[in-house]
Amino acid sequence: MTALADRAAIAERAIRDRHLRRVWGLPGTVLGRSGWPSSAGQRVHWHWNYWWQAHLLDTLVDAQLRDPSPHRLKLIDRFVVSVRLRNFGKWINDYYDDIAWLGLALQRVGHLGLDVRGGLEAISSRLREGWTDDAGGGIWWRVGDDFKNAPANGPAAIFHAREGATQHARGLTDWMTEWLVDPDSGLVWDGLRVGSGELVRHIFTYCQGVYLGACLELSEVDRVERTIQAVAEHVAPNGVIRGQEGGDGGLFAGILARYLALAAPLLPSGIARELVIRSADACWSGATDTPHGPLFSADWATPAPSLPLAADAPERDLSVQVSAWMLLEAAATLEHRI
């Protein structure tokens, strides 16, 4: 095993030890507790962080591809069953971005030989229902909303491209290009409030990642290169992808790192590779030791706090820890290319 793969393996063990537990104590189930140390509500998954679990599942698949294991494959199978169980027997919810992320994870689970066709069919159908011609196309952020954004359209475009619906994926990606890409900086804005026409110009690393991923799937090389350049110039100070606190924001940097790593082998400049490797080095060197292994910072450019953690420390969040693990798995895929 290589040095970067060793880091990913250590991160996997730490996060599994701290966060993975049965659902409601039921045998044969497993999900990630959303905090560590966990509160009473987190121990029973009272607040259902559906899309955090989708990324945890996706990163378990990363680990399985890095180091195939029958034990982990069984864990992944149990995890898929548990997602549907905790979602009260359904694969979908009202948020198109959430279900797109689970769809992407399930597509990769299917490539491991597990049967997830029912979930993929339900998710594909619901995502297609989200498309309207309002503002020229694209899908809504959630059912009944008037907001169309990169966090929904980006992963949906990647999902549809991977299921072979290239034209539909292209429609989603072109809509983002038309409405959400800043013509000056090349950065991707958050979204459009269709009713008022207001552009929400927040800059999230998440949005750069999902747009990059969609353009990659469609071989839009010019758009890929421009987005990576914009990331390097604006959201990665000193070459380290910036953090965006805990909660949902805890996942944003890891998502960007995943798609930068996928882009890196295709581009001669080396910028994408450098961003991932430098971020991974910073993330690793800034981790705090715990009895369960390293605890990673919410902002990879700064060290994680020492134990005991404050009650409001973002490093308690599963999202922050999965994001770091995702980064380290992404870096491991690039080691032989350094």
Side-chain angles (χ1 to χ4, degrees):
M1 190 177 290
T2 61
L4 293 181
D6 283 341
R7 291 180 179 179
I10 292 167
E12 177 190 6
R13 288 195 296 272
I15 291 158
R16 286 175 60 167
D17 286 352
R18 285 196 296 262
H19 290 275
L20 264 62
R21 299 292 186 275
R22 290 178 175 181
V23 183
W24 306 323
L26 296 174
T29 64
V30 63
L31 286 175
R33 286 182 177 173
S34 59
W36 179 85
S38 57
S39 66
Q42 289 166 342
R43 287 193 287 274
V44 296
H45 302 278
W46 182 260
H47 179 69
W48 176 219
N49 287 304
Y50 174 111
W51 83 288
W52 295 14
Q53 304 293 336
H55 283 286
L56 176 51
L57 175 59
D58 213 9
T59 312
L60 283 167
V61 175
D62 291 336
Q64 183 66 4
L65 295 175
R66 167 178 48 79
D67 179 28
S69 157
H71 175 74
R72 192 190 296 101
L73 186 63
K74 183 177 180 181
L75 174 68
I76 289 169
D77 191 30
R78 289 166 53 202
F79 197 103
V80 171
V81 170
S82 302
V83 167
R84 190 179 185 190
L85 171 69
R86 176 56 187 83
N87 206 44
F88 303 114
K90 301 186 296 181
W91 292 109
I92 59 175
N93 66 17
D94 286 343
Y95 289 81
Y96 293 107
D97 54 344
D98 283 11
I99 63 174
W101 285 121
L102 182 60
L104 287 169
L106 291 180
Q107 284 176 327
R108 300 180 73 220
V109 168
H111 293 319
L112 299 177
L114 300 177
D115 185 2
V116 291
R117 287 173 294 181
L120 291 174
E121 290 168 2
I123 288 169
S124 181
S125 176
R126 173 57 69 90
L127 288 176
R128 288 177 181 276
E129 291 171 6
W131 174 279
T132 73
D133 292 332
D134 300 89
I139 65 172
W140 303 106
W141 173 43
R142 60 183 174 181
V143 174
D145 209 37
D146 82 332
F147 191 47
K148 292 187 173 182
N149 62 359
N153 282 270
I158 300 167
F159 176 86
H160 288 305
R162 291 180 179 176
E163 71 173 354
T166 306
Q167 286 305 111
H168 194 59
R170 192 172 301 281
L172 294 163
T173 307
D174 287 347
W175 182 85
M176 287 190 290
T177 302
E178 178 181 356
W179 281 101
L180 302 183
V181 177
D182 180 352
D184 295 324
S185 69
L187 291 171
V188 182
W189 296 319
D190 186 32
L192 171 71
R193 301 195 188 282
V194 174
S196 66
E198 176 196 359
L199 279 168
V200 179
R201 300 173 190 258
H202 298 316
I203 301 299
F204 298 122
T205 48
Y206 178 2
C207 297
Q208 318 315 307
V210 296
Y211 180 71
L212 173 60
C215 293
L216 273 173
E217 293 296 327
L218 297 170
S219 300
E220 297 281 358
V221 177
D222 289 346
R223 292 177 180 176
V224 168
E225 290 180 332
R226 186 181 187 199
T227 304
I228 291 172
Q229 189 63 48
V231 165
E233 292 178 6
H234 299 288
V235 299
N238 299 312
V240 177
I241 302 167
R242 76 181 185 208
Q244 296 193 277
E245 303 298 332
D248 286 348
L251 278 165
F252 290 4
I255 290 167
L256 175 54
R258 175 183 294 283
Y259 293 104
L260 284 169
L262 289 175
L266 307 177
L267 303 175
S269 70
I271 297 173
R273 181 183 298 109
E274 180 71 15
L275 288 167
V276 174
I277 297 300
R278 188 171 293 187
S279 296
D281 287 345
C283 172
W284 183 259
S285 65
T288 288
D289 288 333
T290 79
H292 302 279
L295 181 86
F296 300 103
S297 176
D299 184 348
W300 300 327
T302 61
S306 300
L307 299 185
L309 296 175
D312 61 351
E315 287 76 15
R316 298 172 68 107
D317 289 347
L318 174 66
S319 57
V320 169
Q321 300 307 311
V322 169
S323 185
W325 176 21
M326 194 186 312
L327 165 69
L328 296 173
E329 293 286 359
T333 68
L334 300 178
E335 182 149 25
H336 67 285
R337 304 176 194 275
I338 296 173

